[in-house]
Amino acid sequence: MKNLRTYITFLSSLLITVSLLSTCASHNIKIVISDPHTDEILFKDINRATELGNLEELRKSQVLPGDLEVRVWRGGSFSGLEGVAIKRSNDAWSGLHLRATNYTETQAVKVEKLTGPKSGWQQSWKNLSEKGILTIQQTADNECVTSILDGNLYVVEINQNNNYRYYYYPENGKCTEAKETNELGETIGLEFDTGTETCKTTEWFACMTKRHLNSVSNEPKTPKFR
């Protein structure tokens, strides 16, 4: 009887161990990085801003099945770093806006909770999805090969279904993927601009609204006939 109890205890311990190992294995994240050197340059300031904003690096975050998190970063030699973190957890949406307070090396970050996009979370995400936020791929197209040290860039991080990847393109890139990414940035800026700030230099949200209003006002007017 004693041996039987010992055997049962052993089996119970073994099942618990196997269960824990299975759980840990399910949390493994597949990380796709195209080039380690470029990755190091791109994420030097992004990781610093993430840390100062008290967030975990997205490639290290555990995102449950059915949930997702996307972070879109905009910045470069012409503007300070800004980031938008969009998260869906248990079918509930939330968002954060991170802004570096200086143009050079990131030393402080202001974090604000996004109240929600103008069109609502569901419609806004539908719009972003249709524009390819989850499907745009990194390309080696010569039209997109530019120095990541010059001008402004968008970096889009995605963590979904235990898979992490990102893509990046210059704000004024000529290839299709760059134009699509730039359109994502414009859409995000318009959706989350509250109108409480003004476009002074290169502020993401306010300046996207100003750019949009300028483009609308410059459209040729259709003559009206009586």
Side-chain angles (χ1 to χ4, degrees):
M1 183 64 69
K2 181 179 180 181
N3 290 337
L4 180 59
R5 285 198 298 268
T6 302
Y7 181 67
I8 292 174
T9 302
F10 169 76
L11 283 180
S12 299
S13 301
L14 181 61
L15 287 173
I16 293 173
T17 302
V18 171
S19 176
L20 289 172
L21 289 174
S22 299
T23 302
C24 291
S26 67
H27 287 166
N28 288 337
I29 302 173
K30 179 183 177 182
I31 300 174
V32 178
I33 297 174
S34 56
D35 177 67
H37 178 65
T38 302
D39 180 76
E40 182 179 354
I41 296 173
L42 282 173
F43 282 87
K44 177 184 177 182
D45 285 338
I46 289 176
N47 288 345
R48 177 63 175 158
T50 300
E51 179 184 5
L52 291 171
N54 293 319
L55 297 179
E56 187 177 27
E57 292 178 22
L58 189 54
R59 67 184 63 185
K60 297 178 181 178
S61 300
Q62 302 296 337
V63 178
L64 297 177
D67 296 342
L68 65 85
E69 184 168 353
V70 175
R71 296 179 187 175
V72 183
W73 300 91
R74 177 180 181 265
S77 55
F78 298 151
S79 66
L81 180 65
E82 293 187 60
V84 168
I86 299 174
K87 185 175 184 179
R88 185 184 69 205
S89 179
N90 293 323
D91 291 326
W93 292 92
S94 62
L96 295 174
H97 183 201
L98 295 84
R99 285 185 286 183
T101 57
N102 55 299
Y103 279 70
T104 55
E105 185 175 351
T106 302
Q107 297 176 349
V109 170
K110 181 180 180 181
V111 181
E112 296 176 309
K113 184 178 180 180
L114 294 172
T115 56
K118 292 184 177 73
S119 62
W121 281 111
Q122 295 293 343
Q123 184 59 45
S124 177
W125 182 252
K126 182 175 182 293
N127 294 339
L128 291 172
S129 297
E130 290 175 349
K131 294 179 186 296
I133 193 168
L134 295 178
T135 57
I136 294 173
Q137 300 293 321
Q138 191 64 45
T139 179
D141 193 320
N142 288 333
E143 290 183 328
C144 280
V145 178
T146 59
S147 172
I148 62 175
L149 300 177
D150 298 327
N152 288 339
L153 283 172
Y154 282 108
V155 179
V156 181
E157 300 182 88
I158 304 167
N159 189 331
Q160 184 182 29
N161 298 325
N162 282 338
N163 286 278
Y164 169 90
R165 73 177 184 93
Y166 66 86
Y167 53 91
Y168 64 93
Y169 287 103
E171 187 172 28
N172 297 314
K174 297 180 180 179
C175 69
T176 300
E177 291 83 358
K179 292 177 180 178
E180 291 173 342
T181 305
N182 187 57
E183 190 173 354
L184 291 174
E186 291 178 350
T187 300
I188 289 172
L190 293 173
E191 283 280 10
F192 290 106
D193 181 35
T194 60
T196 58
E197 296 182 338
T198 58
C199 175
K200 299 176 182 178
T201 53
T202 58
E203 291 81 6
W204 187 354
F205 296 174
C207 290
M208 287 301 172
T209 297
K210 182 178 180 180
R211 182 189 302 179
H212 175 70
L213 292 175
N214 287 340
S215 65
V216 171
S217 64
N218 291 330
E219 289 181 355
K221 301 294 186 298
T222 302
K224 295 181 179 180
F225 300 95
R226 294 183 178 178

